[in-house]
Amino acid sequence: MKVQRYYSAAIKVVPFILGLFFFIYSSRMSFGTWNNPGPGLWPTCLSVLIMVVSVMLFFTDRNGDRKDDESFTTDSRYSLYGVLSLALFIVLFEQIGLSLPSIAVFLFWTRFLGMERWITSILVSLGLTAAIYMIFAWGLHIPFPEDQLFLLFK
């Protein structure tokens, strides 16, 4: 019973702390305007949303006796793998561009986390990477770091 109480408290406190952490760091960036958003606008909005939801959870679940919460199982590690692969993507994106990290992350997510066949994973990874490039780089003209894969073809 004591473990359940700690688990219930962690469900409410951990998202708030994460939201606060990201709020502090994203508020250091410029917000811009709604018509011309800066790099700090959307991370700040999302971190505030996370904090609001965690506060709402605190007030709606005061007893901590919710029976519909999912418990941690051995399959919970897949969520951690997804988050860690996203962190690796961010580091690699800054170093070598978009194409190779996004292909690798999409391949990891579809093949190993999604348990898809290799051919499906490869096609989805290539297709999503191409779609991201077409939408953001060519369509919206958002600058990306210099892509090492494209340098091979120059």
Side-chain angles (χ1 to χ4, degrees):
M1 190 62 158
K2 195 174 191 180
V3 173
Q4 179 66 21
R5 196 173 318 139
Y6 289 131
Y7 178 72
S8 178
I11 288 173
K12 299 168 192 165
V13 173
V14 169
F16 185 82
I17 291 172
L18 285 172
L20 183 63
F21 172 78
F22 288 116
F23 176 77
I24 291 169
Y25 279 98
S26 63
S27 64
R28 293 180 181 175
M29 296 184 272
S30 67
F31 295 119
T33 63
W34 288 108
N35 292 334
N36 188 17
L41 180 67
W42 294 114
T44 303
C45 291
L46 290 176
S47 62
V48 168
L49 181 65
I50 290 170
M51 289 188 297
V52 167
V53 169
S54 65
V55 168
M56 287 174 50
L57 183 62
F58 176 76
F59 287 115
T60 59
D61 185 31
R62 298 200 64 145
N63 298 333
D65 58 355
R66 295 179 57 148
K67 302 294 184 211
D68 59 344
D69 290 340
E70 288 188 37
S71 60
F72 286 106
T73 63
T74 56
D75 287 341
S76 300
R77 69 184 185 275
Y78 294 121
S79 299
L80 178 63
Y81 297 158
V83 170
L84 290 176
S85 65
L86 192 58
L88 182 63
F89 167 79
I90 292 169
V91 171
L92 291 175
F93 172 74
E94 293 175 349
Q95 300 298 318
I96 61 175
L98 175 77
S99 61
L100 292 176
S102 65
I103 290 170
V105 166
F106 288 139
L107 190 64
F108 175 73
W109 285 353
T110 54
R111 175 66 185 135
F112 299 107
L113 299 181
M115 306 297 179
E116 295 291 335
R117 295 183 350 203
W118 275 107
I119 189 69
T120 305
S121 299
I122 291 169
L123 292 175
V124 166
S125 300
L126 293 174
L128 286 175
T129 302
I132 288 171
Y133 250 106
M134 285 189 280
I135 292 169
F136 292 102
W138 295 333
L140 297 173
H141 304 289
I142 295 174
F144 286 132
E146 191 168 39
D147 201 312
Q148 299 300 315
L149 183 64
F150 289 162
L151 292 178
L152 295 174
F153 298 109
K154 285 187 175 183

